[in-house]
Amino acid sequence: MACFLVPLAEGVALTAAKPLLKKNGLSTRLGDLQKMLFGGSFLLGVEHVYHGEIVFYPPFLSAMNNPEDTAQMLHEMATVGTAMALCVTLVWAILCLVAKKRASNTQSEETKHRRRAKTILHVALGAAVMFGVDGAFALLS
């Protein structure tokens, strides 16, 4: 119902903390994580609009109309949303390790076309992880 809000909140928090992390030298590849979180959240939001879980009038989340549905929505955010955020962050960490290993093996200059393709790949990967987690929880329930 609103599980995509947890990775979105992580992306917003990361964006807010990025200047502080950059100041301390910890900002390597954070842009990739932001793309994965925001891209996946956007695509899941579109899917939720399609299924009528997000509406364009207040309270915007259809689950907010009924207190029973609100409790279910909060539970889904705590379980599915947290799992999505953790999985996307874990996949990003693995990508960082692989990229670091590859960078030590070969030094190549990235072209503009290649950077654009990587951006699309990061958004698609973030969405795929989120949809996968959402689907896994749907099968389990």
Side-chain angles (χ1 to χ4, degrees):
M1 292 177 196
C3 54
F4 68 95
L5 292 177
V6 177
L8 182 64
E10 181 185 355
V12 169
L14 181 63
T15 301
K18 197 171 182 181
L20 179 66
L21 295 171
K22 200 176 247 187
K23 185 176 166 184
N24 294 328
L26 300 172
S27 67
T28 308
R29 298 197 177 272
L30 288 179
D32 296 344
L33 179 57
Q34 285 178 301
K35 292 171 194 167
M36 292 171 73
L37 291 168
F38 287 132
S41 295
F42 173 75
L43 291 174
L44 267 175
V46 169
E47 184 262 342
H48 282 48
V49 167
Y50 178 77
H51 288 284
E53 296 170 358
I54 298 176
V55 291
F56 295 107
Y57 50 86
F60 302 109
L61 296 170
S62 60
M64 297 290 286
N65 291 328
N66 182 352
E68 189 176 292
D69 289 341
T70 302
Q72 181 184 0
M73 177 192 70
L74 292 174
H75 180 264
E76 183 179 299
M77 287 173 68
T79 55
V80 180
T82 303
M84 283 178 184
L86 290 174
C87 285
V88 169
T89 305
L90 179 66
V91 168
W92 168 77
I94 292 169
L95 286 174
C96 287
L97 291 174
V98 169
K100 187 175 182 179
K101 179 81 171 161
R102 286 186 67 200
S104 66
N105 291 341
T106 177
Q107 296 291 338
S108 66
E109 192 172 313
E110 280 190 276
T111 63
K112 189 175 182 180
H113 176 70
R114 187 171 173 164
R115 281 194 307 268
R116 186 176 301 131
K118 282 177 66 175
T119 297
I120 293 169
L121 178 66
H122 287 123
V123 169
L125 186 59
V129 170
M130 288 186 194
F131 275 104
V133 171
D134 194 28
F137 273 91
L139 289 174
L140 294 174
S141 59

